[in-house]
Structures are given as C-alpha cells and as structure tokens.
Amino acid sequence: MPLKPTQPNIDSTTMPDMSKATFHVLYDGPALANHEMNVRDLAPALLALGQVLEEANAAINDGRAQVSVQVKASFKTGCFGIELDVTQSLIQQIHLAFSSENVANAKNLLEWIGLISGATAFTGATINNLFRFLKWLKNRKINKVVLLDNGNVRVVLDDEAVDVEAKVIALFRQARLRKALEDVLKPVEREGIDEFAVTNQQQSERFFTISKHELRYFSAPDEQPEMLAEDEVEMNLQLVNVAFREDNKWRFSDGNSTFYAQVEDVDFLNKVQSNEPFARGDILKARLRRVQSLSGETMKTEYIVLKVQEHRRAGVQLPMTFEHE
C-alpha cells in the first residue's frame, strides 16, 4: 500500500501565501583552507541542493506550493560555508482556503530533510529527518515496513528496527530527490574535501555531518523497472535490418514504427543458421510478446518474437491473379 504522509496541523485559511526559511551548510577539508572552492564542484552541488528542496516540496505538498532556493551574496568564512534562503509560495490560494488539505511550509521541509536542526532528530525513539534515517540505515536491506497507529512507520531490518516519521519515509522513496542528494555530496568525493555539514548561522556548531567514508550511505539506489503491461499479438513484421547478433535482436517495422525485437523461435533460428535466405523487406507473420515497463520517468516497450508462422520474401515476383478456363 502506498504511504501517504500525514500533513502537519497548519490552518490553511490563515497561512500566508509565502513562507521563508534560511539554512547553512559547509564543505570542509584541507583543500578549502583558503575559503575557496572550484566552481565546477560548487555549481552542480548548489543546483542539486535546489532540486532536493523542489522534490521534497513536490512529494509532501503535491503541487499545492512551489519553492525556490537563493544563495546569499556573502559566503561564510571558515572552511567553505554557504548561506541559503528557501522561499515557498502557495498555488491556488483561493482553493486552499476552502480545502481541508494543509501545506507544509519551508521550515517544515528543511526539518524533514535535515537541513536545519528543528526539533531533535529523534522524538522519543522516532527518527524525524531524512539525513538521520539514511545514516542509521547504512544501505542495509529493509525487510518489513509497518504502518503504526500514531501515523509513523516502523522500519524493520534483520536485527534492528526503528520508528520513522511518515513524511521522512515519503522523502526516502523519491528517486529524483535521492539522486539530487547524492549530487549535493559529490564535492566530498574530491581529494582534500572531507566533510559536508549542516550548521548554525555563525557556523560555530555543526548539527549534522557526513564524512567521506559515509558517502556510500547516501548513494541513490538503482531504479527498479516497474512492469506496466504485457500482452501477445499476431502481427506482420517487415525486416528492416537482418543482423545476426548474439542476442538475436532483429530490427522490424510494423508499418508505423521501427523497433528491435528479440527472436526466441528456435526453429526459425535454426533456419537462419542453415543459411535460409533472409533479406531487407521480407515479411514475417509472427506471434509477438510486448512488454511495457517504467524505469524512473522513462517508459519503454520490449518486443519478443515467440513464433514465426510464415516467411514471405519481398520483391521475388509481381503479384498476378490467374483464372482457369
């Protein structure tokens, strides 16, 4: 069952149409001793940080608000610290005034990600931000996820379990957010940059740190394709390219589009190996399996030729109808 995070108790009829929050992060290491950082490292990381906020906002507020992230003009001294502002504006304000749906503000989003200290990262035994959850999980396999009566989620591993706020799990499941977060931490892979930290304004206190050896805990998982549909059809296919490849993929046209299809008909493949002639333009009447899947945001269709029922050579003779006396 998909998890739908509970919304914070915010009165949408009195909420202003804009909220702002500020957070501070830094990169630390001997390469940054002069408070300088290569723009080739910094620019992609800042763009990725903006995407983390955008994806978090989309996941929690479901299109009811939009966010933007601005870098303050002055960079803090001491390692390489950055001050950023998050501005969130509501969409469809009139609709929200008469809706029971609430909108999480910019400060809420930063707290659930872990970019400001907010409340403590644990409420009792409950993890309430994404950074803390990823650091606790350490890329270990999750065996079971249990929805609790209080709205939180219990994450069960082989020998350990922890309660996590549902909103944190909602962020954890966002593939694009996870990839963007990985990109935020890319500079720490560089020699001489050892750490990423969330700090206070003066950068005298570090609320959360990610060291070089912990980067693997924050790697985005490989996207698993989701099966959408599968069916079998009989079609006439025209050979576009006869390629005797090891994977037995031939290129066909159905008269509307061209595509590669894997041929699994053993009898047909034996004829191919016996040097039966096949040429561009030949027509195969075949039974075909179509498989549609979704990987991330990309949908693809795979074709498998299960059985070639008839082979018609192209251009051998002009068609002619004969009549008998």
Side-chain angles (χ1 to χ4, degrees), residues 2-10 59-61 64 100-104 108-109 112 147-153 164-170:
L3 296 177
K4 185 174 182 180
T6 56
Q7 300 294 339
N9 186 21
I10 300 172
I60 300 299
N61 288 324
R64 299 189 299 273
S100 61
E101 296 180 301
N102 296 314
V103 175
N108 297 144
L109 297 177
W112 290 325
L147 296 174
L148 304 178
D149 291 340
N150 62 6
N152 292 331
V153 177
V164 185
E165 286 196 16
K167 293 170 284 294
V168 174
I169 295 297

Side-chain angles (χ1 to χ4, degrees), residues 38-153:
N38 192 319
V39 69
R40 294 180 182 273
D41 296 328
L42 177 62
L46 289 180
L47 290 172
L49 195 52
Q51 186 177 359
V52 168
L53 268 297
E54 291 171 3
E55 297 297 337
N57 181 65
I60 300 299
N61 288 324
D62 194 23
R64 299 189 299 273
Q66 60 185 16
V67 297
S68 61
V69 181
Q70 294 85 31
V71 181
K72 286 289 187 73
S74 59
F75 290 81
K76 300 295 182 181
T77 60
C79 311
F80 192 88
I82 311 162
E83 183 175 340
L84 302 103
D85 278 345
V86 181
T87 303
Q88 179 196 60
S89 57
L90 300 185
I91 300 173
Q92 300 173 329
Q93 182 71 19
I94 295 176
H95 166 74
L96 285 171
F98 298 96
S99 171
S100 61
E101 296 180 301
N102 296 314
V103 175
N105 62 30
K107 181 174 180 289
N108 297 144
L109 297 177
L110 292 173
E111 288 175 345
W112 290 325
I113 296 169
L115 286 169
I116 57 177
S117 61
T120 178
F122 292 85
T123 305
T126 303
I127 294 178
N128 67 2
N129 76 55
L130 179 62
F131 281 170
R132 293 284 181 185
F133 178 60
L134 290 172
K135 203 165 189 176
W136 173 86
L137 186 61
K138 295 182 173 66
N139 274 341
R140 292 175 291 177
K141 180 182 177 182
I142 296 175
N143 290 337
K144 186 168 59 174
V145 179
V146 182
L147 296 174
L148 304 178
D149 291 340
N150 62 6
N152 292 331
V153 177

Side-chain angles (χ1 to χ4, degrees), residues 15-29:
M15 173 183 273
D17 61 0
M18 183 176 292
S19 68
K20 290 186 177 182
T22 299
F23 66 102
H24 306 81
V25 299
L26 65 78
Y27 297 92
D28 194 4

Side-chain angles (χ1 to χ4, degrees), residues 240-258:
V240 174
N241 184 28
V242 182
F244 300 101
R245 296 159 40 163
E246 292 183 1
D247 57 5
N248 295 321
K249 284 193 175 181
W250 294 35
R251 194 178 181 197
F252 297 100
S253 170
D254 61 4
N256 183 48
S257 61
T258 60

